[in-house]
Amino acid sequence: MSSSKYSKMISSKHGYKKTRIKNNSSDSDLFNLVMPKADVVGFKSKQGGISRQAISWAKFARLNNFYIWLFLAAVGLLGSIYLVAVDLIFKYVVFSWREAFMNLTENYFLQYLSFIAWTVALATGSCFIIKKICPAAVGSGIPDLKSIFSGFWNPFVVAPMVLLWKTIGLLLSYGSGLSIGKEGPYIHISATLANTLLSIKPFKSIAQNDTQRSQLLAACCALGVAATFGSPIGGVLFSIEATGTFYLISNYWRAFFTATVGAVGIKILLSNPSNDLLESFRTHFADLNLASAQLIAFIILGVLCGLLASLFISLYTKIYNWKKHNAELFKKITPFGEVIIVAAATAILSFPLKFLRLDHATAVHTMFTATPDSDNSEVLSELAVWTDSMPFNHGIILACFLYVVVKLVLTAVSITLPIPYGIYIPLFAIGSAVGRFIGELMLVLFPNSKEIYPTGYAVVGAAALCGGATRTVSSAMIILELTNDLTYMVPVLLGVVLSCGIGNLLNHSIYDCFLKNKNLPYLPFYKAKSDSLIARDVMKRDLYYVCQNTTLSQISNLLKRVDEHSIPVVSSDNDLQLIGTISTTTLEEVIAYHERLHSYSKSPLSLSDNSIDINDSDSHYNNNNNNNNNSYNNNNNNINNNNNNGNNSLVSEAIEMNVLSDSDNDENNNLIPNIPINDNNIIIQNNIRNNNINNNYSDNINNNNDNNNNNNNTNNNNNINNNNMNNNINNNSSNDINESISEETTIDLVQMELQNPWVVIDSSPFQIQETMPVRKIVFMFMMLGGNILYVTNKGKLTGVVAKTELVHQNNNKH
């Protein structure tokens, strides 16, 4: 009799009856078998189990959100390094190479052609990346993120490859000289970087579902604004406004922490005096007296910026609709031809006037700092770029007017192209020109006043136009942090509020227009006209659910048909009383758990301490079979042959599979098997049930066969003959037995939840009545999140309302 080591597979405290099986695995494997989702991080002990230090560390990390802190710090640090590197590439590579390319010759006409060629080539390369390589990298990225933040997860928008191709496409499109910006792509890049880090092992567990993941991405969006303008506080406010629906207060400190780490990284990386990417926008104004005509001027500036922002949005909408109505024409032109035409037109209009070729950062710097009475020769030379082209005094006024008109039209056209683009920086530059225009007019009207600073009006205009177009009050904080000057804080706030108010009266924000034009799902767009539309009218009646008492095969078939994250649990097919919901991950673990139990149960048992030794039990079965031969008489031939060859393995297999079936215990707490054999419902008559069970299984089997052989020989003979026929037909009958037992095992999910801490049924899912108005349903989705509401009638599940389908139905109506 062979001896082997045995260990207890599952303890009774987890709800399973005591069974001893042969175990060749470590204690940690058995621990993971019973607790597949155990939250244990760290090293295992020398004996193979889970060390106490590892469990203590897991509790500490979970209670103190250690990995969330680490994740946010990693995003802030890596994001700042990445985005500053992109900024430096723009300054020292792209723009420097453009100047070198144009200066290859001193001939004006050749420089003109080289400028056009540069713009067309880079814009076409950016279009090629979008159309042929990575379509998800198109546009600003903020509208797609707003859709995600409102509850409609789209993994393609924040895929890791988008990070690379969005960067390359932006380098080409923004470096070409088109009238576009980079803030939107920077925010998109920050969110993509954060989503990529969430796929790394240490951070996988901190975002268990799409809602938590989208909230973390919203917090990380502050980094994009901090990298663009050096404005961490404005970035946090912008991330709140960009969310669109609801914002978790717990994300507030996360956004601040990410933006702070990013701002520190940016300050360190740009500490070299030659890196004036942000320092060049600093202003130093004298005290401001608002008890004068300047207050009226600031009010007029705010209203004017609101009107211009609405005009810009209307112009973009008209161009987009015109292209949509002439789709056949633009299909012939192709997207590449469209980009070439717009790029060439931009270069042709921009080159003759030097201030139109300036990049937006340089233009904003001139509007904020350059004055005619400055002693700095460099500042005077920058201002000369704007004034030398104009043939009369106060030429800066006409230059600003031309800049606003040309750039407003070019920006509206450029953001309809299939390239990566942002709109914040060009609007920032246009707004600064509008403010400078009003400030210069004030100097003309009040030439003797020493309190009027046109550069201060430029600061107010930049914030007001951006706020009016994007409907974000955070523009005020961004401009104050960028200039590092609070002198014009009140005029900035006044201008932004007026601009946003005027814009809301006239049309939607530019981001909302992007959302509608791209047909992205966005919950705030849903407008219920009256309360007559109720849940019964919009709910989905084709239900997928799992019953409380189910089988592994039913669970497996259900998982193949559904793609939801959670499935409702009902009492039965006839009753449909909603018990709760269970995640598909948990159902997959239930199947895997029973498969592991099945694999462990295949190990041969041994006779030791109340367990069966198969090697020793073979002799008992052979003896019993010899006794059976004396009583069977006419039917012995087939039985003897098969008993000598296959009966031992069949009985052994039946005993091994006992762990998988529903088992009973006698008064001595011994295991009594009840084993179905195959799909034909052929059952081995279990003689063990007809007698008292002793502590030793081999004695039980001997006694049962000796005492009940005469009573049950006919049934045993028929069953064994039938089984032998099945074995002759199919050599893999033992595998069929195993699969049948495993698939037809009845599982009580509620009972399993009570016995296993890793099986969780949410007993309080979001439920609504059939008569609830759709207006309230939309409000619940916006405030509570979630993707599905379960419709019940007296506790019975009658349908579901899916947020995605609700929004798509509304889009189809409009």
Side-chain angles (χ1 to χ4, degrees), residues 364-539:
V364 171
H365 173 68
T366 303
M367 294 292 100
F368 281 8
T369 60
T371 56
D373 56 351
S374 176
D375 297 332
N376 192 331
S377 59
E378 183 178 352
V379 171
L380 293 176
S381 63
E382 291 178 357
L383 186 61
V385 173
W386 293 73
T387 57
D388 289 350
S389 301
M390 301 296 105
F392 54 89
N393 293 333
H394 304 291
I396 186 67
I397 298 177
L398 181 59
C400 290
F401 178 79
L402 291 176
Y403 187 88
V404 170
V405 173
V406 175
K407 287 294 183 179
L408 204 66
V409 175
L410 290 179
T411 304
V413 175
S414 298
I415 60 177
T416 63
L417 300 177
I419 56 174
Y421 57 78
I423 60 161
Y424 209 92
I425 292 182
L427 291 177
F428 205 76
I430 295 171
S432 66
V434 173
R436 186 65 181 261
F437 175 81
I438 298 296
E440 294 292 342
L441 285 179
M442 288 291 293
L443 272 182
V444 173
L445 295 176
F446 303 97
N448 298 324
S449 176
K450 297 181 179 179
E451 297 179 350
I452 297 177
Y453 298 96
T455 53
Y457 285 82
V459 172
V460 177
L465 188 63
C466 289
T470 61
R471 308 293 196 270
T472 54
V473 184
S474 58
S475 301
M477 182 56 65
I478 292 173
I479 195 68
L480 293 175
E481 288 185 279
L482 179 64
T483 58
N484 197 26
D485 194 342
L486 298 180
T487 304
Y488 281 80
M489 180 181 66
V490 174
V492 165
L493 292 173
L494 179 63
V496 170
V497 170
L498 288 174
S499 181
C500 289
I502 295 296
N504 286 328
L505 292 175
L506 298 177
N507 49 27
H508 295 285
S509 73
I510 187 64
Y511 294 139
D512 290 346
C513 292
F514 289 157
L515 282 163
K516 289 184 177 181
N517 292 337
K518 298 181 71 172
N519 200 26
L520 294 172
Y522 189 55
L523 203 57
F525 287 161
Y526 194 97
K527 302 296 181 182
K529 296 181 179 180
S530 66
D531 288 348
S532 60
L533 189 65
I534 58 177
R536 187 187 300 114
D537 300 326
V538 297
M539 71 180 184

Side-chain angles (χ1 to χ4, degrees), residues 456-764:
Y457 285 82
V459 172
V460 177
L465 188 63
C466 289
T470 61
R471 308 293 196 270
T472 54
V473 184
S474 58
S475 301
M477 182 56 65
I478 292 173
I479 195 68
L480 293 175
E481 288 185 279
L482 179 64
T483 58
N484 197 26
D485 194 342
L486 298 180
T487 304
Y488 281 80
M489 180 181 66
V490 174
V492 165
L493 292 173
L494 179 63
V496 170
V497 170
L498 288 174
S499 181
C500 289
I502 295 296
N504 286 328
L505 292 175
L506 298 177
N507 49 27
H508 295 285
S509 73
I510 187 64
Y511 294 139
D512 290 346
C513 292
F514 289 157
L515 282 163
K516 289 184 177 181
N517 292 337
K518 298 181 71 172
N519 200 26
L520 294 172
Y522 189 55
L523 203 57
F525 287 161
Y526 194 97
K527 302 296 181 182
K529 296 181 179 180
S530 66
D531 288 348
S532 60
L533 189 65
I534 58 177
R536 187 187 300 114
D537 300 326
V538 297
M539 71 180 184
K540 178 182 177 183
R541 301 179 185 274
D542 297 332
L543 301 176
Y544 290 104
Y545 56 84
V546 59
C547 295
Q548 175 183 345
N549 296 307
T550 184
T551 63
L552 295 181
S553 60
Q554 291 174 348
I555 295 176
S556 179
N557 293 332
L558 179 64
L559 292 176
K560 294 177 182 177
R561 296 196 303 267
V562 301
D563 55 358
E564 300 292 341
H565 294 291
S566 61
I567 299 175
V569 181
V570 298
S571 56
S572 64
D573 289 323
N574 298 326
D575 192 13
L576 292 180
Q577 287 287 335
L578 182 62
I579 298 175
T581 59
I582 188 170
S583 67
T584 54
T585 304
T586 302
L587 291 177
E588 291 171 354
E589 290 172 357
V590 168
I591 295 177
Y593 172 78
H594 283 81
E595 288 177 351
R596 286 193 291 270
L597 277 179
H598 172 64
S599 64
Y600 274 92
S601 67
K602 286 185 177 181
S603 302
L605 303 178
S606 173
L607 181 59
S608 175
D609 298 332
N610 297 334
S611 60
I612 299 176
D613 192 327
I614 295 300
N615 295 327
D616 193 45
S617 64
D618 286 346
S619 60
H620 293 285
Y621 278 100
N622 288 331
N623 293 332
N624 291 330
N625 291 332
N626 291 332
N627 292 332
N628 290 340
N629 291 337
N630 294 328
S631 60
Y632 286 157
N633 295 326
N634 296 329
N635 298 319
N636 277 343
N637 293 332
N638 292 332
I639 298 174
N640 288 331
N641 294 331
N642 288 289
N643 282 336
N644 292 330
N645 298 324
N647 195 44
N648 291 337
S649 62
L650 176 62
V651 175
S652 174
E653 186 71 23
I655 295 174
E656 291 166 8
M657 288 304 299
N658 174 48
V659 181
L660 288 179
S661 63
D662 293 331
S663 304
D664 296 330
N665 279 30
D666 68 349
E667 59 185 2
N668 295 323
N669 199 32
N670 288 320
L671 192 65
I672 303 175
N674 182 17
I675 307 169
I677 295 303
N678 54 34
D679 292 334
N680 296 324
N681 296 323
I682 300 174
I683 308 298
I684 294 180
Q685 299 298 323
N686 197 345
N687 296 328
I688 301 175
R689 290 184 178 275
N690 297 329
N691 296 281
N692 293 327
I693 307 300
N694 297 321
N695 291 331
N696 193 305
Y697 275 113
S698 61
D699 291 341
N700 290 336
I701 296 172
N702 286 328
N703 291 334
N704 290 332
N705 286 325
D706 289 336
N707 293 333
N708 298 316
N709 186 38
N710 293 329
N711 295 331
N712 298 320
N713 63 14
T714 303
N715 292 333
N716 289 336
N717 185 30
N718 292 334
N719 285 317
I720 295 173
N721 281 332
N722 289 333
N723 190 58
N724 291 332
M725 292 174 64
N726 291 333
N727 288 333
N728 292 330
I729 294 173
N730 186 0
N731 292 328
N732 296 322
S733 63
S734 60
N735 293 331
D736 295 336
I737 293 172
N738 297 340
E739 294 178 359
S740 175
I741 292 173
S742 177
E743 292 179 357
E744 299 304 325
T745 300
T746 301
I747 301 173
D748 189 335
L749 293 176
V750 176
Q751 188 67 20
M752 198 170 184
E753 181 191 23
L754 297 175
Q755 297 172 345
N756 300 275
W758 53 271
V759 177
V760 179
I761 297 178
D762 182 7
S763 59
S764 57

Side-chain angles (χ1 to χ4, degrees), residues 132-198:
K132 299 298 183 180
I133 301 178
C134 186
V138 69
S140 169
I142 294 180
D144 303 87
L145 293 176
K146 286 174 71 72
S147 177
I148 289 177
F149 299 157
S150 68
F152 301 94
W153 180 256
N154 186 357
F156 300 103
V157 173
V158 288
M161 290 303 296
V162 177
L163 177 66
L164 173 63
W165 295 114
K166 186 87 172 187
T167 304
I168 299 176
L170 179 64
L171 288 172
L172 295 175
S173 60
Y174 187 68
S176 66
L178 292 175
S179 185
I180 57 175
K182 58 181 180 179
E183 187 212 21
Y186 274 18
I187 294 174
H188 190 187
I189 289 171
S190 300
T192 306
L193 177 63
N195 186 66
T196 303
L197 289 179
L198 283 175

Side-chain angles (χ1 to χ4, degrees), residues 71-147:
F71 165 75
L72 296 175
V75 172
L77 184 60
L78 295 177
S80 62
I81 294 173
Y82 189 88
L83 295 177
V84 168
V86 174
D87 270 335
L88 295 178
I89 291 174
F90 273 126
K91 181 176 181 180
Y92 295 106
V93 178
V94 179
F95 295 145
S96 296
W97 287 5
R98 184 178 67 177
E99 292 297 324
F101 182 71
M102 291 175 56
N103 294 330
L104 291 176
T105 178
E106 295 181 357
N107 185 282
Y108 179 82
F109 182 72
L110 293 179
Q111 287 183 344
Y112 204 161
L113 292 179
S114 62
F115 184 77
I116 296 173
W118 177 273
T119 303
V120 170
L122 267 65
T124 305
S126 179
C127 179
F128 178 83
I129 290 176
I130 297 301
K131 303 304 293 186
K132 299 298 183 180
I133 301 178
C134 186
V138 69
S140 169
I142 294 180
D144 303 87
L145 293 176
K146 286 174 71 72
S147 177

Side-chain angles (χ1 to χ4, degrees), residues 88 91-92 270 272-281 365 378:
L88 295 178
K91 181 176 181 180
Y92 295 106
L270 299 181
N272 191 330
S274 62
N275 294 330
D276 57 350
L277 294 177
L278 298 178
E279 296 297 330
S280 60
F281 299 105
H365 173 68
E378 183 178 352

